[in-house]
Amino acid sequence: MKSGVVAIVGRPNVGKSSLFNRLAGSKISIISRHPATTRLKILGVINRDQGQVLLLDTPGFELPRHQLGEFMKKTVLSSLTEADLTLFVISAGGWKKEDEQLLQEVKRLNKKAFLIINKMDILPRKEDLLPLIENSRQRYNFLEIYPCSALHQEKWDTLVKIIFQWLPEGEVFFPEGQVSNLAREYLLAEILREKILEKTYEEVPHSVAVEIEDICPAKTNPEMVVIYARIIVDRKQMKPIILGRNGERIKAIGQKARLEMEQVLGKPVYLQTKVKVIPDWRDRPDVFRRFGYGQF
Ligand code: GDP
Ligand code: MG
């Protein structure tokens, strides 16, 4: 049997979480058009006849601007360190400064790495690919260079097969059937956060966290679950933005989140949300640890 840890790394917004969900075969990690959405190390398990891949999605690599950023950077580096194989993701748009900074870490740790050139659909001229591959080869001894588009349903199994080729022999870590390390609360919180990100702009997405306070059966209907969620913002001006005019935005957010939660739990859900201001929570590790952003 083969088994190993495969870390997906790259700068913010190159499509790491999209790729992660494609490879893991189900949606585990949340995706958004805002950079720096993923805040912690997320594990997906891929089981095949050959063995098991422990796939890690990681926050985008960038220079930290607050303590949460500092923690996110440590998360990337710890994922890199423990990886048997690294999927280094760049955009087909080409190498940027942050890609290079992260590559320095890969070099320093002397990691085995594939280069994934994602967002091939945005490459205006297909003939630009060859020079990009050539240029990338000179930067590092990548084991494979794999152009793709995580937006599309491609033959992801081909990539999984190539990954297995480079994994060490080993025993499987998790029983079949387990697809992720995420606690149920965290998965539910992330679903709600994703819907908030879909409906907000600019600085709002970064200042939001979600905490699930309680999950319990409904008194009137034991088949139904009641989920109490707290939406945390870091300034009081953010609160009306989340709520929207006459509470319309929070209603739309809650509705979309509820539908997805029902799919995950396989039960009807009653979702109760509350918005709370915790000033500067991103600079308070004692607070953001509670949201699950505290272990790496
Ligand atoms: P991450 O920050 O690296 O985890 O990136 P996400 O997976 O959250 O994706 C960031 C944004 O890029 C989202 O809006 C995705 O829908 C989009 N995206 C991801 N993969 C592709 C791709 O192959 N092509 C295009 N055009 N967009 C993509
Ligand atoms: Mg992500």
Side-chain angles (χ1 to χ4, degrees):
M1 294 293 259
K2 289 194 157 196
S3 73
V5 175
V6 175
I8 303 181
V9 301
R11 74 178 157 81
N13 230 22
V14 290
K16 297 176 296 300
S17 297
S18 305
L19 180 74
F20 172 89
N21 289 331
R22 289 288 184 199
L23 293 174
S26 62
K27 188 174 143 193
I28 299 172
S29 198
I30 67 171
I31 295 167
S32 92
R33 63 191 187 288
H34 308 289
T37 294
T38 310
R39 285 179 177 155
L40 79 175
K41 182 159 56 178
I42 294 177
L43 170 71
V45 184
I46 306 175
N47 289 302
R48 292 289 187 279
D49 293 340
Q50 300 101 304
Q52 192 170 66
V53 177
L54 302 184
L55 189 66
L56 296 178
D57 189 15
T58 64
F61 187 83
E62 59 185 341
L63 296 179
R65 285 177 298 233
H66 39 64
Q67 285 207 49
L68 176 63
E70 201 63 64
F71 157 71
M72 284 159 60
K73 183 175 167 194
K74 280 193 188 140
T75 304
V76 178
L77 296 181
S78 93
S79 305
L80 253 188
T81 308
E82 70 181 286
D84 297 296
L85 178 68
T86 301
L87 304 184
F88 190 101
V89 186
I90 64 167
S91 152
W95 286 82
K96 300 277 175 332
K97 201 165 116 238
E98 282 155 322
D99 299 316
E100 278 161 18
Q101 284 165 345
L102 177 58
L103 188 63
Q104 289 309 317
E105 303 292 335
V106 174
K107 284 183 181 167
R108 186 173 61 81
L109 296 164
N110 197 19
K111 299 310 279 192
K112 282 200 252 171
F114 288 9
L115 179 71
I116 309 289
I117 304 178
N118 190 35
K119 306 202 183 184
M120 281 301 293
D121 54 297
I122 60 160
L123 198 70
R125 301 180 318 156
K126 296 301 157 212
E127 56 268 34
D128 290 340
L129 178 62
L130 274 179
L132 178 58
I133 291 180
E134 228 6 84
N135 172 296
S136 304
R137 272 196 212 294
Q138 282 163 18
R139 291 170 189 265
Y140 192 62
N141 189 15
F142 291 108
L143 301 174
E144 299 279 345
I145 295 186
Y146 196 90
C148 61
S149 172
L151 277 194
H152 299 146
Q153 187 66 48
E154 297 184 16
K155 294 199 179 67
W156 295 107
D157 230 38
T158 314
L159 181 53
V160 173
K161 283 203 184 98
I162 309 173
I163 289 172
F164 268 112
Q165 286 171 10
W166 292 96
L167 288 189
E169 292 292 324
E171 291 306 307
V172 303
F173 297 89
F174 288 103
E176 206 161 325
Q178 178 164 359
V179 294
S180 175
N181 65 331
L182 283 193
R184 189 176 61 156
E185 280 76 7
Y186 187 73
L187 193 62
L188 296 171
E190 285 290 87
I191 290 172
L192 179 55
R193 191 162 68 90
E194 182 180 69
K195 305 311 167 203
I196 298 168
L197 299 191
E198 273 176 31
K199 301 218 183 288
T200 54
Y201 305 92
E202 290 170 11
E203 81 274 44
V204 187
H206 303 290
S207 68
V208 172
V210 172
E211 187 177 28
I212 301 294
E213 287 184 297
D214 199 11
I215 305 176
C216 53
K219 286 200 185 78
T220 47
N221 174 4
E223 276 304 293
M224 182 184 254
V225 245
V226 187
I227 299 175
Y228 296 92
R230 200 133 73 126
I231 299 169
I232 287 97
V233 290
D234 64 357
R235 266 161 297 165
K236 68 173 187 308
Q237 299 91 304
M238 296 287 163
K239 200 168 165 171
I241 301 178
I242 302 281
L243 295 176
R245 199 150 43 91
N246 301 323
E248 272 160 19
R249 182 174 286 136
I250 187 65
K251 199 169 151 200
I253 290 170
Q255 212 157 27
K256 282 195 97 173
R258 177 178 58 79
L259 290 174
E260 200 167 315
M261 290 171 172
E262 289 181 340
Q263 276 182 1
V264 168
L265 298 176
K267 287 180 175 178
V269 165
Y270 179 80
L271 174 63
Q272 184 150 339
T273 55
K274 219 166 42 181
V275 183
K276 185 179 160 69
V277 183
I278 303 183
D280 302 320
W281 66 263
R282 282 180 290 173
D283 270 319
R284 294 174 56 187
D286 58 317
V287 175
F288 65 67
R289 273 203 192 99
R290 288 208 325 256
F291 311 148
Y293 310 148
Q295 309 100 28
F296 48 85

